[in-house]
């Protein structure tokens, strides 16, 4: 299977304490309050809390899910890994998931990250696996010259038709093996192309991939070349499992002077940002 040949040697994974989850939840919620709509009447009308109520503030009032349920340790279980065919999807469109595992059965649960009473995420829906299992994924494409590793050759395992009413933000699809309980995350962004905002919150997904060693190489380490010169989005993101990995969405604190995404968000909001977010 592509996963077992694809993942390079990773540093030991780290379990995230509830305090770290709470900090992430605060940052995600504060990020979700950064942008005020230029057309507030139209934007706020979509809020289930009623016209004039910020849809994301309303969303974050929903009950959250315990991190013991939605979170994983580090990059998750190497025997089940996957990625979304697009890093972001517009509300009302479809997103496909490609999963590599030897498991004969597994589940896919989608969560939206946010405040949610400090729990960090909320269960949205379960997505049925559409591929026949076990699904035998083909080899990923590799180029020894550039150390590119591209798993776009994998077949689609499941698809989610994102509701048009989905609230924008950072989402995760948790993959869980039915037999062993092994699990991992697929991270992606739901955006709302019809929303106009004064401030844009953009995830640092190019950096996630720059430090992503799935397949053995990234922009800072590798095989014969000592690093990769080309990087593909068509592969699972295992940056969270590398001790030197920087700026992944779940990264907290400061590493070698590099401020993590969540820390940046906290800084911005502490300086008075109180608006509606637009995610890209």
């Amino acid at each position: 299977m592509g996963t077992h040949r694809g993942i390079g040697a990773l540093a030991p994974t780290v379990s995230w304490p509830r305090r770290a989850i709470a900090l992430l939840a605060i940052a995600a919620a504060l990020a979700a309050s950064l942008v005020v709509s230029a057309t507030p009447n139209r934007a706020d009308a979509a809020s289930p809390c009623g016209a004039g109520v910020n849809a994301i503030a309303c969303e974050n009032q929903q009950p959250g899910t315990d991190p013991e349920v939605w979170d994983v340790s580090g990059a998750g279980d190497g025997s089940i890994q996957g990625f979304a065919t697009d890093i972001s999807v517009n509300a009302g469109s479809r997103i496909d998931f490609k999963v590599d595992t030897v498991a004969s059965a597994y589940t896919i649960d989608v969560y939206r990250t946010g405040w949610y009473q400090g729990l960090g995420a909320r269960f949205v829906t379960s997505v049925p696996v559409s591929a026949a299992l076990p699904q035998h994924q083909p080899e990923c494409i590799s180029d020894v010259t550039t150390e590119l590793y591209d798993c776009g050759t994998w077949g689609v395992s499941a698809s989610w038709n994102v509701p048009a009413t989905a609230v924008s933000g950072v989402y995760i699809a948790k993959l869980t093996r039915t037999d062993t309980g092994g699990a991992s995350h697929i991270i992606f962004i739901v955006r709302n192309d019809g929303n106009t905002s004064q401030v844009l919150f953009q995830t640092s997904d190019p950096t996630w991939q720059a430090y992503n060693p799935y397949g053995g190489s990234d922009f800072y380490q590798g095989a014969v070349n000592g690093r990769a010169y080309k990087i593909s989005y068509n592969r699972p993101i295992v940056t969270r499992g590398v001790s030197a990995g920087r700026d992944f969405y779940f990264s907290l604190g400061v590493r070698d002077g590099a401020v993590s995404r969540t820390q940046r968000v906290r800084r911005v909001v502490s300086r008075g940002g109180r608006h509606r977010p637009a995610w890209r």
Side-chain angles (χ1 to χ4, degrees):
M1 300 294 289
T3 292
H4 309 299
R5 287 188 291 269
I7 295 182
L10 301 180
T13 58
V14 179
S15 296
W16 293 87
R18 284 183 174 271
R19 182 174 180 273
I21 295 297
L23 288 174
L24 171 65
I26 293 170
L30 294 178
S33 65
L34 287 180
V35 181
V36 63
S37 170
T39 54
N41 291 335
R42 176 170 63 84
D44 291 341
S47 171
C49 292
V53 179
N54 185 300
I56 294 177
C58 177
E59 164 67 20
N60 277 298
Q61 294 174 18
Q62 299 294 321
T65 303
D66 194 298
E68 294 293 332
V69 175
W70 67 262
D71 201 12
V72 299
S73 176
D77 191 330
S79 72
I80 181 166
Q81 291 284 332
F83 62 94
T85 52
D86 290 292
I87 191 64
S88 72
V89 60
N90 188 30
S93 301
R94 188 188 78 188
I95 189 166
D96 296 328
F97 303 121
K98 296 186 174 184
V99 180
D100 185 26
T101 181
V102 297
S104 297
Y106 64 91
T107 59
I108 304 176
D109 293 324
V110 175
Y111 299 86
R112 182 186 179 276
T113 62
W115 168 242
Y116 304 114
Q117 299 80 51
L119 294 175
R122 181 178 77 86
F123 173 75
V124 175
T125 189
S126 293
V127 176
V129 177
S130 57
L133 299 178
Q135 182 180 16
H136 300 287
Q137 299 286 19
E139 289 278 358
C140 300
I141 297 172
S142 60
D143 181 354
V144 295
T145 303
T146 62
E147 298 191 28
L148 171 72
Y149 198 78
D150 188 311
C151 301
T153 53
W154 291 0
V156 173
S157 307
S159 301
W160 181 37
N161 292 314
V162 182
T165 56
V167 179
S168 63
V170 180
Y171 285 64
I172 54 175
K174 183 180 181 182
L175 314 173
T176 306
R177 292 183 56 154
T178 305
D179 53 358
T180 65
S184 66
H185 283 164
I186 295 175
I187 188 167
F188 61 100
I189 295 92
V190 172
R191 64 184 195 275
N192 186 342
D193 290 347
N195 185 38
T196 55
S197 306
Q198 294 175 338
V199 178
L200 177 72
F201 184 86
Q202 181 172 342
T203 57
S204 55
D205 45 278
T207 305
W208 304 346
Q209 291 291 2
Y211 285 90
N212 181 12
Y214 190 92
S217 301
D218 58 41
F219 276 160
Y220 303 95
Q221 61 86 35
V224 177
N225 296 328
R227 54 158 291 188
Y229 287 90
K230 286 186 178 181
I231 291 291
S232 173
Y233 269 61
N234 294 327
R235 57 195 182 126
I237 300 176
V238 295
T239 314
R240 190 180 174 191
V242 183
S243 61
R246 302 185 193 202
D247 208 27
F248 185 65
Y249 182 62
F250 289 96
S251 174
L252 289 169
V254 178
R255 293 176 176 174
D256 301 326
V259 183
S260 75
R261 168 63 60 186
T262 50
Q263 291 290 337
R264 290 194 201 107
V265 170
R266 292 175 66 195
R267 281 187 183 181
V268 170
V269 176
S270 69
R271 293 173 184 174
R274 296 176 180 274
H275 308 301
R276 171 188 296 280
W279 298 85
R280 293 292 184 271

